[in-house]
Amino acid sequence: MPGLSQNESTHVQELLKQSKKLVKELKRLSFSHPITHVYNPLEYAWESHRAYLTRFASQEVKVFFLGMNPGPWGMAQTGIPFGEIPAVRDWMGIETDVKQPKEVHPKRPIEGFACQRSEVSGRRLWGLFAEKFGKPEAFFQHHFVFNYCPLVFMEASGKNFTPDKLPAGEASPLMEACDQHLKTFVEVLQPDWVVGVGAYAENRAKSALSGLSVKFSRVLHPSPASPAANRDWAGTATRQLLDSGIWLDS
């Protein structure tokens, strides 16, 4: 990996420091029924996440894409937002050893880069970016992808539990920590746009970044649970980005 310039090193080290700080803050939180297991890939997949920030968190970012939280077969395995394994390994060129959460749900094993399951949302998101920009360096020069909350929540059955369904008493301290973390990243990278991947992410961004000089937009979430996303998600997201003036037709 090529060495970092002094300026790059300074801003990346700040982002790494803030990520470590968030890990400590989230360890203090607890979550009640129906949540039985909580994974934080910023802990057990730290080396992969560190590589992602070190290689791709550019201070020339203009468009900051924001997701909600990790999917079980993406960031939960790789430590990288929407971390579909072929996209991370073969396109971004990142592959590291991934450790284990302290308590593993038997139906949601962490296999790291050996996982054979596909993160459909990540396949769609990174697939669009790879098709449009070709090499990852071309995309990341002016774009970045981030998740608002790094935690994966699971019920006893193994079912995914999303942060938007948390009761207020548990959501409030989580959002306080995640809001500050997001704000720090945006202050360091200074994008022109923050684009929510889905409504929840857009709403959290608007709340956390109120008062900052940044514009907001949204694209349809690429989840296969969304009927609209299953009808040419890439085409829909591209049109949304073109219509908002974030991307220019070429």
Side-chain angles (χ1 to χ4, degrees):
M1 186 182 299
L4 297 171
S5 73
Q6 184 60 45
N7 286 340
E8 287 173 329
S9 177
T10 299
H11 88 265
V12 167
Q13 289 305 314
E14 178 61 24
L15 299 182
L16 293 171
K17 175 185 172 183
Q18 292 300 321
S19 296
K20 287 286 193 180
K21 178 182 176 184
L22 180 65
V23 168
K24 290 181 181 179
E25 290 175 349
L26 296 183
K27 276 184 176 180
R28 297 198 290 262
L29 305 184
S30 59
F31 303 93
S32 60
H33 180 82
I35 295 169
T36 60
H37 290 72
V38 180
Y39 293 174
N40 187 348
L42 296 191
E43 291 187 85
Y44 61 82
W46 171 251
E47 289 307 316
S48 182
H49 190 74
R50 180 190 184 101
Y52 176 70
L53 294 181
T54 301
R55 289 186 62 179
F56 297 126
S58 166
Q59 283 194 301
E60 296 180 23
V61 164
K62 292 182 170 54
V63 186
F64 187 104
F65 288 97
L66 183 69
M68 178 165 58
N69 76 313
W73 315 117
M75 186 173 176
Q77 303 294 332
T78 65
I80 292 172
F82 292 91
E84 162 79 348
I85 289 167
V88 173
R89 181 190 59 216
D90 304 331
W91 190 60
M92 297 182 207
I94 295 174
E95 184 175 9
T96 70
D97 290 334
V98 174
K99 298 176 182 179
Q100 293 289 311
K102 288 185 178 179
E103 294 186 19
V104 178
H105 195 293
K107 293 185 178 179
R108 291 291 181 265
I110 296 302
E111 300 172 306
F113 286 85
C115 180
Q116 297 297 307
R117 296 287 295 267
S118 176
E119 179 78 6
V120 177
S121 293
R123 189 172 74 235
R124 289 172 173 172
L125 187 85
W126 293 117
L128 169 61
F129 299 154
E131 181 179 356
K132 181 172 177 62
F133 292 92
K135 294 182 179 181
E137 291 78 11
F139 170 75
F140 283 107
Q141 181 178 1
H142 297 303
H143 301 76
F144 191 64
V145 179
F146 190 70
N147 265 336
Y148 172 72
C149 172
L151 301 183
V152 185
F153 302 98
M154 289 154 284
E155 300 181 13
S157 65
K159 180 181 176 183
N160 190 45
F161 186 99
T162 53
D164 57 316
K165 296 182 175 64
L166 287 169
E170 294 176 8
S172 181
L174 175 67
M175 289 190 297
E176 182 178 350
C178 293
D179 281 358
Q180 185 56 52
H181 188 58
L182 171 61
K183 185 178 181 182
T184 298
F185 266 63
V186 168
E187 287 175 336
V188 170
L189 297 178
Q190 298 185 322
D192 298 326
W193 287 91
V194 173
V195 180
V197 183
Y200 177 86
E202 181 191 27
N203 290 336
R204 290 313 315 151
K206 287 181 175 178
S207 176
L209 306 174
S210 175
L212 295 188
S213 180
V214 65
K215 294 173 282 190
F216 299 97
S217 189
R218 183 204 307 180
V219 294
L220 177 68
H221 196 286
S223 170
S226 163
N230 293 329
R231 296 189 296 270
D232 186 23
W233 176 83
T236 299
T238 298
R239 285 192 299 274
Q240 290 175 314
L241 292 164
L242 290 170
D243 289 346
S244 62
I246 295 170
W247 283 357
L248 301 177
D249 208 350
S250 57

